[in-house]
Amino acid sequence: MTKLFDLTGKRALITGGTHGLGMAMAKGLGHAGAHLIVNGHSPDKMKDALAAYTSEGIQATGYLFDVTKDDAVKDAIDKIEKEVGPIDILINNAGIIKRIPILEMDVADFQQVIDVDLVGPFIVSKHVGKYMVQRRAGKIINICSMMSELGRNTVTAYAAAKGGLKMLTKNMATEWAKYNIQVNGIGPGYFATEQTAPIRVNGHPFNEFIINRTPAARWGDPDDLMGTAIFLSSAASDFVNGQIIYVDGGILATIGKPANEA
């Protein structure tokens, strides 16, 4: 059974893999045996990330490129295929969010979020997918969001992009399943990261909201994403295609509870 989840000898490209949830998922794949190909845009963050992976005994190689630039992505993927080897797994994780009310949001800000969170995965998948189609094998994981299903104040561009990413995932699966390529998504819930640290304190309204809204009654730990990432990257998911797995502690399963209910 362990062979179903063994990634030894596989090469996994993770965009935005220098920090946060991307790094957590990448570490899971690395500990399962994969050689990580880490994408980022900051030389300093890349240096620190590669050192962190190496310290845990994970083989990792870094490549700096902008996922929204078609020519740059094509050149980078061609280079990776020659220098590191065939890309077996792609995790489209790079993303941004801008919390701005609709009436106050400039078109440029809306467009930037769409470009990074939706157009970026399309560009990277297109260039990686070309090689996967030729080899008739591959795994692609798009990092979606609960905002692929729900709206929330001030995140219009992000929700639009993540909703689009859900449907991009399904359409990629529709076109490429016949080539033995599995395309699925992961939708993280609310996780304990450096970014959320300031609001994850007792007494903070949003902290209490998340804990009360989540059936598991806690924030997710980044390590909670590892198992799902490994599953969707491994032979265990060879007949799973076009699905979004929400790792959210049950938030999307419930309408919530009344204020007077413990």
Side-chain angles (χ1 to χ4, degrees), residues 189-204:
Y190 287 92
F191 277 77
T193 63
E194 289 184 13
Q195 190 176 28
T196 61
I199 60 176
R200 284 186 290 105
V201 293
N202 291 336
H204 194 289

Side-chain angles (χ1 to χ4, degrees), residues 4 17 23 31 70-71 81 94 97 127 150 154 160 198 208 223 226 228 238:
L4 282 175
M23 175 173 274
H31 286 302
D70 187 52
D71 289 342
E81 288 272 335
I97 187 170
H127 292 297
L150 300 172
T154 76
E208 294 181 0
D223 289 353
M226 287 186 180
T228 306
D238 280 352

Side-chain angles (χ1 to χ4, degrees), residues 31-170:
H31 286 302
H35 177 166
L36 304 183
I37 304 161
V38 182
N39 156 261
H41 57 80
S42 165
D44 290 338
K45 285 187 177 180
M46 181 65 74
K47 180 180 178 180
D48 291 343
L50 294 180
Y53 289 125
T54 300
S55 71
E56 296 190 24
I58 296 172
Q59 187 178 12
T61 307
Y63 284 84
L64 297 170
F65 60 89
D66 186 338
V67 298
T68 69
K69 305 299 183 184
D70 187 52
D71 289 342
V73 172
K74 181 184 182 302
D75 291 345
I77 299 306
D78 290 345
K79 189 176 182 181
I80 291 168
E81 288 272 335
K82 292 177 182 177
E83 294 180 348
V84 182
I87 299 170
D88 303 292
I89 303 157
L90 166 64
I91 299 183
N92 283 310
N93 167 75
I96 61 172
I97 187 170
K98 292 193 173 188
R99 295 179 175 87
I100 306 171
I102 295 172
L103 295 181
E104 299 173 14
M105 190 170 210
D106 292 335
V107 172
D109 288 322
F110 186 92
Q111 187 68 60
Q112 184 183 14
V113 175
I114 297 296
D115 284 346
V116 175
D117 294 1
L118 180 57
V119 180
F122 164 75
I123 292 173
V124 180
S125 296
K126 179 180 71 171
H127 292 297
V128 173
K130 175 185 69 175
Y131 287 102
M132 290 181 171
V133 166
Q134 292 172 1
R135 291 189 286 267
R136 280 173 160 67
K139 303 277 188 177
I140 298 177
I141 303 169
N142 292 323
I143 304 307
C144 298
S145 166
M146 287 190 300
M147 300 302 105
S148 298
E149 303 290 344
L150 300 172
R152 188 177 161 221
N153 287 344
T154 76
V155 297
T156 298
Y158 183 79
K162 293 300 185 178
L165 187 57
K166 177 183 74 170
M167 295 311 301
L168 177 63
T169 300
K170 291 179 179 292

